[in-house]
Amino acid sequence: MGNEEIKAVLQNFPVPVDHIVIKPLSQGYINRSFVIAYKDSPDFLLQQINTKVFADVEALMANMVRALPHLKAPNYTGPELVYTKNGTSYLQTRNGGCWRLMTYVPDSASYLYCKDLKTAGEAGRILGLFHNLMSKARPTEYLEFIPGFHSLELRKRQFDLAREEATPARKRKAKKAIAYAQNTAESLLSWQDVSVPLRVCHNDTKMSNILFSKKEGKALCLVDLDTLMPGYFHCDFGDALRTVVNPAPEDEKNLDKISFNRAYCEAFVSGLSSVGPLLSRQEIEHLPFGAQLMPFLHGLRALTDFLMGDVYYQVSYPDQNLDRSLSLFRFAALAKEETPYLKEVIQKYLG
Ligand code: GN1
Ligand code: MG
């Protein structure tokens, strides 16, 4: 994508277009993101929304617009949405591209993995704060624009279909991952209790979606509100935990590098508890389930995409989806082993 195209998109927003520096961001498997940098004023984040994944951009943006006022709080500093010159929340170009502009929180940074105890605690605190602020929102007013996004039943069905359609070569390559997925799906499917209340969830609470202040290292907010939909707290909990306690990236090839840092886990749960009571008894009981479910679910989705021929996630090398599934499955197995420990910590801080 050329800079001229980006500048043409920016013309539709109330921001200067001259003398900008356009920096593509490589993070994320779905959208394309660019930092629009100015010499003497704050930067912006421009994103092209992937309309293959987000077929209903209107609904996605409606959820975001509805949620943003809840997230305006003195101790929560998130990006603001910049409306187009026509007053719409995003721009639709003639060729069907959808673009959104947000302010870039100054002096902030995000990290791929947790670097110390303080960061782990801050990650827990900001997750709690996000849910505290969003607890006033009614889940029924938010659209489920990707139905069953974190439903294991649905992801398992999609995996079963992918196995039928996969080439023999891909199936052979993924043999070990497929076997693990089949066994684990069965045991996790018997766990979920439908009486857990729905909340408006973030649904992508990994470390790299938390903004920290560069100076003090305080967590400022959760970014990437693309998957803000009704969901369960244990999913947001498990998704954050898997990246807070494990220093290895999602596509780590050396499975020995995947680990579960107990001290970070405790700091994370303690940080979560610091925002005050938030969770119901059933929600608390489901947290260890969430800790296993989320890495497994992401691994299952990556494996499904590998079997389908890499049609969903943007892969940066041929076997990346398979590597992601193996690494995520390894972490899911570790989270299962750590269940007694996790229960103890949850009891200590949230019980
Ligand atoms: C995708 O593109 P990104 O990184 O925001 C995915 C999430 C996964 C994540 C990483 C809509 O998010 O569910 O957690 O990759 N988002 C969608 O595994 O599928
Ligand atoms: Mg996301």
PDB file of all heavy atoms in Angstrom, residues 107 118 122 212-220:
ATOM      1  N   ASP A 107       3.327   8.959  24.865  1.00  0.00           N
ATOM      2  CA  ASP A 107       4.251   8.358  25.854  1.00  0.00           C
ATOM      3  C   ASP A 107       3.770   7.000  26.363  1.00  0.00           C
ATOM      4  O   ASP A 107       3.940   6.667  27.536  1.00  0.00           O
ATOM      5  CB  ASP A 107       4.453   9.299  27.051  1.00  0.00           C
ATOM      6  CG  ASP A 107       4.969  10.657  26.602  1.00  0.00           C
ATOM      7  OD1 ASP A 107       5.878  10.662  25.759  1.00  0.00           O
ATOM      8  OD2 ASP A 107       4.427  11.685  27.056  1.00  0.00           O
ATOM      9  N   LYS A 118       5.682  -5.964  38.462  1.00  0.00           N
ATOM     10  CA  LYS A 118       4.837  -4.766  38.456  1.00  0.00           C
ATOM     11  C   LYS A 118       3.941  -4.759  37.205  1.00  0.00           C
ATOM     12  O   LYS A 118       2.752  -4.449  37.288  1.00  0.00           O
ATOM     13  CB  LYS A 118       5.738  -3.522  38.488  1.00  0.00           C
ATOM     14  CG  LYS A 118       4.936  -2.246  38.502  1.00  0.00           C
ATOM     15  CD  LYS A 118       5.795  -1.024  38.505  1.00  0.00           C
ATOM     16  CE  LYS A 118       4.894   0.193  38.317  1.00  0.00           C
ATOM     17  NZ  LYS A 118       5.636   1.413  38.169  1.00  0.00           N
ATOM     18  N   GLU A 122      -0.078  -4.721  37.028  1.00  0.00           N
ATOM     19  CA  GLU A 122      -0.778  -3.670  36.299  1.00  0.00           C
ATOM     20  C   GLU A 122      -1.708  -4.263  35.230  1.00  0.00           C
ATOM     21  O   GLU A 122      -2.789  -3.731  34.973  1.00  0.00           O
ATOM     22  CB  GLU A 122       0.243  -2.726  35.648  1.00  0.00           C
ATOM     23  CG  GLU A 122       0.838  -1.720  36.607  1.00  0.00           C
ATOM     24  CD  GLU A 122      -0.213  -0.759  37.146  1.00  0.00           C
ATOM     25  OE1 GLU A 122      -0.818   0.001  36.364  1.00  0.00           O
ATOM     26  OE2 GLU A 122      -0.467  -0.798  38.365  1.00  0.00           O
ATOM     27  N   PHE A 212       0.778   0.801  28.352  1.00  0.00           N
ATOM     28  CA  PHE A 212       1.421   1.217  29.603  1.00  0.00           C
ATOM     29  C   PHE A 212       2.045   2.599  29.407  1.00  0.00           C
ATOM     30  O   PHE A 212       2.481   2.930  28.295  1.00  0.00           O
ATOM     31  CB  PHE A 212       2.540   0.240  29.975  1.00  0.00           C
ATOM     32  CG  PHE A 212       2.059  -1.138  30.330  1.00  0.00           C
ATOM     33  CD1 PHE A 212       1.843  -2.099  29.343  1.00  0.00           C
ATOM     34  CD2 PHE A 212       1.811  -1.474  31.653  1.00  0.00           C
ATOM     35  CE1 PHE A 212       1.388  -3.372  29.670  1.00  0.00           C
ATOM     36  CE2 PHE A 212       1.364  -2.743  31.988  1.00  0.00           C
ATOM     37  CZ  PHE A 212       1.146  -3.693  30.999  1.00  0.00           C
ATOM     38  N   SER A 213       2.119   3.371  30.495  1.00  0.00           N
ATOM     39  CA  SER A 213       2.828   4.642  30.380  1.00  0.00           C
ATOM     40  C   SER A 213       4.322   4.325  30.387  1.00  0.00           C
ATOM     41  O   SER A 213       4.784   3.503  31.179  1.00  0.00           O
ATOM     42  CB  SER A 213       2.461   5.576  31.531  1.00  0.00           C
ATOM     43  OG  SER A 213       2.987   5.072  32.731  1.00  0.00           O
ATOM     44  N   LYS A 214       5.043   4.958  29.465  1.00  0.00           N
ATOM     45  CA  LYS A 214       6.477   4.649  29.322  1.00  0.00           C
ATOM     46  C   LYS A 214       7.227   5.021  30.587  1.00  0.00           C
ATOM     47  O   LYS A 214       8.141   4.322  31.000  1.00  0.00           O
ATOM     48  CB  LYS A 214       7.056   5.432  28.145  1.00  0.00           C
ATOM     49  CG  LYS A 214       6.953   4.699  26.825  1.00  0.00           C
ATOM     50  CD  LYS A 214       7.753   5.456  25.775  1.00  0.00           C
ATOM     51  CE  LYS A 214       7.467   4.912  24.403  1.00  0.00           C
ATOM     52  NZ  LYS A 214       7.818   5.868  23.349  1.00  0.00           N
ATOM     53  N   LYS A 215       6.844   6.134  31.201  1.00  0.00           N
ATOM     54  CA  LYS A 215       7.605   6.640  32.348  1.00  0.00           C
ATOM     55  C   LYS A 215       7.401   5.799  33.598  1.00  0.00           C
ATOM     56  O   LYS A 215       8.326   5.259  34.163  1.00  0.00           O
ATOM     57  CB  LYS A 215       7.194   8.086  32.642  1.00  0.00           C
ATOM     58  CG  LYS A 215       8.070   9.079  31.915  1.00  0.00           C
ATOM     59  CD  LYS A 215       7.937  10.474  32.528  1.00  0.00           C
ATOM     60  CE  LYS A 215       8.219  11.520  31.457  1.00  0.00           C
ATOM     61  NZ  LYS A 215       7.112  12.442  31.262  1.00  0.00           N
ATOM     62  N   GLU A 216       6.119   5.695  34.051  1.00  0.00           N
ATOM     63  CA  GLU A 216       5.890   5.031  35.343  1.00  0.00           C
ATOM     64  C   GLU A 216       5.560   3.551  35.222  1.00  0.00           C
ATOM     65  O   GLU A 216       5.475   2.858  36.228  1.00  0.00           O
ATOM     66  CB  GLU A 216       4.744   5.710  36.102  1.00  0.00           C
ATOM     67  CG  GLU A 216       5.035   7.118  36.530  1.00  0.00           C
ATOM     68  CD  GLU A 216       4.062   8.091  35.909  1.00  0.00           C
ATOM     69  OE1 GLU A 216       2.878   7.736  35.758  1.00  0.00           O
ATOM     70  OE2 GLU A 216       4.483   9.205  35.555  1.00  0.00           O
ATOM     71  N   GLY A 217       5.308   3.093  34.000  1.00  0.00           N
ATOM     72  CA  GLY A 217       4.956   1.693  33.827  1.00  0.00           C
ATOM     73  C   GLY A 217       3.554   1.358  34.304  1.00  0.00           C
ATOM     74  O   GLY A 217       3.215   0.197  34.535  1.00  0.00           O
ATOM     75  N   LYS A 218       2.708   2.377  34.449  1.00  0.00           N
ATOM     76  CA  LYS A 218       1.318   2.126  34.857  1.00  0.00           C
ATOM     77  C   LYS A 218       0.503   1.715  33.648  1.00  0.00           C
ATOM     78  O   LYS A 218       0.679   2.264  32.557  1.00  0.00           O
ATOM     79  CB  LYS A 218       0.716   3.411  35.443  1.00  0.00           C
ATOM     80  CG  LYS A 218       1.011   3.591  36.916  1.00  0.00           C
ATOM     81  CD  LYS A 218       0.052   4.578  37.567  1.00  0.00           C
ATOM     82  CE  LYS A 218      -1.056   3.954  38.377  1.00  0.00           C
ATOM     83  NZ  LYS A 218      -0.685   3.102  39.466  1.00  0.00           N
ATOM     84  N   ALA A 219      -0.409   0.755  33.843  1.00  0.00           N
ATOM     85  CA  ALA A 219      -1.282   0.377  32.728  1.00  0.00           C
ATOM     86  C   ALA A 219      -2.288   1.499  32.505  1.00  0.00           C
ATOM     87  O   ALA A 219      -2.873   2.018  33.459  1.00  0.00           O
ATOM     88  CB  ALA A 219      -1.988  -0.926  33.041  1.00  0.00           C
ATOM     89  N   LEU A 220      -2.475   1.879  31.246  1.00  0.00           N
ATOM     90  CA  LEU A 220      -3.358   3.007  30.927  1.00  0.00           C
ATOM     91  C   LEU A 220      -4.726   2.558  30.450  1.00  0.00           C
ATOM     92  O   LEU A 220      -5.742   3.147  30.783  1.00  0.00           O
ATOM     93  CB  LEU A 220      -2.706   3.872  29.836  1.00  0.00           C
ATOM     94  CG  LEU A 220      -1.346   4.488  30.174  1.00  0.00           C
ATOM     95  CD1 LEU A 220      -0.720   5.104  28.940  1.00  0.00           C
ATOM     96  CD2 LEU A 220      -1.528   5.541  31.263  1.00  0.00           C
TER      97      LEU A 220
END
